[in-house]
Amino acid sequence: MQPVSSASNVTVVARSPGLRSGEVEVVVTLPTYKRPEQVLATLQSVIGQRTSRRFAVVVMENDAEWHAGADAVAPLFENGTAPGLLIIAHDRGNCCAYNAGWATALAEFPNLRFIQVIDDDEVATPDWLETMCRSAGSLGADIVGAPQVPLFHEPGHEHWADHPVFAPPYRETGVVPALYSSGNLLIARRVLDAMPRPFLDLSFNFTGGGDSDFLSRAAMRGFTLGWCAQAPVMETVPARRLKPDWIRSRSLREGVLSTWVEKRKRGGSPAARLRVAGKSLALLAASPVRGTIRFARTGSLSNGLYPFYVALGRLLAEFGYANEQYRQAEKN
C-alpha cells in the first residue's frame, strides 16, 4: 500500500476514485485489527446497503505493522467498489481507532449528518443504514443503538444468546435512558461537534468501556438516546468466548467499567465515591438472591453467577483492578 496522505497519527492509504465528499450524508466507520477475512465480509455488507442516502465508509486499520485488514479491503477502495477512505490509525488501542475514524469523517465529509459504527466481527443486514437513520428521526434521538445478534461458532450454542454478556440491553424500539456499546450505533453530527476531543477517553484504550463512558457523558450533556430493535447486525462469536474463564473475565470487566463510568458521572467528591462503593456492596449482598432467580429461570450456572461477578468487579475496581482484554485484541 502506498499512502495517499498522512497526519501525525493517521495515514490515508486508499481513497475511492471520484469520491464526492460534499454530497455524503452518512459515514460508516469500521475499525479493524487482525481480522482480514471478517473485515472484508463486514465491508461488503455495508457496501450492499439498500438506501438512497449518499454514504461513505471509513475503515480504520489499527495494526500499523502488519495491516492485514487494510491489505484485504484496499482493492475495494482503489477500484471504487467501496466509497470512502481506508486509513491506518497508528496509535494502538480501541479508543484510538475510533477517535481516528470519527475525526477523519468530520474532516473529510463537511456535510455529513450521521456517523454509523460497525465492528469488524459484525455483518449488517441490508436495510441497516436506512433503518437506523429513520429511527433517529422518528424517535427524535441524537444517538441510536441497535442489537448485536450473536452468531455462534458451533451449532447447539444458541442458548448462550440469553446470557447477559451477549443479550441486548433492550428488546423494544424507543427512547432509552442509557446505551453501553458502540458495536452498532448511530451518532448525529451535532453530538460529535459538541463533545470534547478525543471523543473516547484513552484510559479505556485496552479495557474497553470508552464507548460506554462517551455515551454516558453525551447523555449528561442532554443528548437523547434511542434504541432501534429493527436494525440488528450479526456478530460472530468464536468458541473461545463460551469458555468459563472468558465469561467470568468479561463479567468482572463489566463490573469494573460500571464503577469507573459511575464515578465519572457522580464526580470525584468523597461522598460520591462512598455512594458508588455502597452501591457495589449492596449489589454484592444481593447477588446470591439475584443469581438464584437467574439460575431458576435459565437453568444456567454461568447466568446465575453473572450478578456476583459484576458486583465483585465493581468492588475490585475500588482497589485498582483493570482487565485489559483489548491489550491482545485478536485473542479477545
Side-chain angles (χ1 to χ4, degrees):
M1 297 180 299
Q2 295 297 321
V4 176
S5 62
S6 64
S8 60
N9 62 342
V10 172
T11 299
V12 179
V13 295
R15 182 190 302 269
S16 55
L19 181 64
R20 298 179 179 179
S21 300
E23 297 179 6
V24 170
E25 177 184 355
V26 184
V27 173
V28 178
T29 59
L30 167 55
T32 188
Y33 183 78
K34 296 185 184 296
R35 287 173 175 163
E37 294 181 0
Q38 289 178 274
V39 71
L40 187 58
T42 305
L43 180 58
Q44 289 171 333
S45 76
V46 174
I47 294 169
Q49 290 297 295
R50 294 190 293 230
T51 182
S52 61
R53 299 174 193 265
R54 291 297 299 269
F55 72 92
V57 188
V58 175
V59 172
M60 304 92 79
E61 169 65 85
N62 201 214
D63 182 5
E65 183 178 7
W66 299 105
H67 47 73
D71 290 345
V73 302
L76 296 182
F77 286 96
E78 292 166 351
N79 66 22
T81 302
L85 305 171
L86 168 61
I87 69 173
I88 303 290
H90 292 276
D91 296 336
R92 269 282 293 123
N94 175 272
C95 296
C96 288
Y98 277 106
N99 289 336
W102 295 357
T104 298
L106 292 172
E108 293 280 347
F109 302 98
N111 296 315
L112 74 86
R113 295 180 57 208
F114 301 109
I115 284 180
Q116 282 190 236
V117 186
I118 189 170
D119 284 339
D120 64 349
D121 56 355
E122 299 171 343
V123 171
T125 49
D127 297 309
W128 169 71
L129 186 149
E130 182 64 27
T131 303
M132 290 285 273
C133 292
R134 287 186 179 182
S135 292
S138 63
L139 295 173
D142 304 294
I143 305 175
V144 179
Q148 297 162 266
V149 178
L151 295 178
F152 296 102
H153 185 73
E154 298 176 1
H157 290 160
E158 292 77 11
H159 64 280
W160 282 101
D162 291 328
H163 192 285
V165 301
F166 301 117
Y170 307 103
R171 300 289 183 179
E172 303 292 334
T173 295
V175 174
V176 296
L179 293 170
Y180 306 98
S181 172
S182 60
N184 184 5
L185 194 70
L186 177 143
I187 309 171
R189 168 71 179 264
R190 56 185 171 272
V191 177
L192 296 177
D193 285 342
M195 296 295 284
R197 300 194 188 193
F199 302 112
L200 271 59
D201 190 320
L202 301 187
S203 64
F204 293 94
N205 228 355
F206 297 105
T207 62
D211 46 2
S212 182
D213 171 66
F214 171 83
L215 293 165
S216 175
R217 289 186 286 112
M220 290 176 65
R221 281 179 173 251
F223 291 110
T224 301
L225 310 182
W227 181 260
C228 178
Q230 293 78 32
V233 297
M234 308 297 120
E235 180 183 14
T236 299
V237 179
R240 66 178 177 272
R241 292 191 179 182
L242 300 182
K243 294 181 178 180
D245 61 339
W246 191 92
I247 296 287
R248 179 175 61 251
S249 181
R250 178 55 63 99
S251 302
L252 287 169
R253 192 198 74 155
E254 290 187 5
V256 170
L257 297 178
S258 176
T259 287
W260 289 357
V261 171
E262 188 172 352
K263 280 185 173 182
R264 283 169 167 263
K265 185 175 181 179
R266 291 182 178 273
S269 69
R273 291 197 297 270
L274 282 174
R275 283 197 294 271
V276 174
K279 180 178 177 179
S280 299
L281 287 169
L283 288 172
L284 184 63
S287 64
V289 174
R290 297 176 68 206
T292 299
I293 294 171
R294 280 185 172 274
F295 177 72
R297 180 171 55 84
T298 65
S300 166
L301 180 60
S302 178
N303 208 312
L305 287 171
Y306 177 77
F308 168 74
Y309 285 131
V310 170
L312 180 61
R314 285 182 59 100
L315 283 176
L316 289 174
E318 300 288 349
F319 300 95
Y321 174 80
N323 185 345
E324 295 191 330
Q325 283 193 314
Y326 291 106
R327 182 66 68 177
Q328 293 181 293
E330 71 277 13
K331 296 181 179 180
N332 180 39

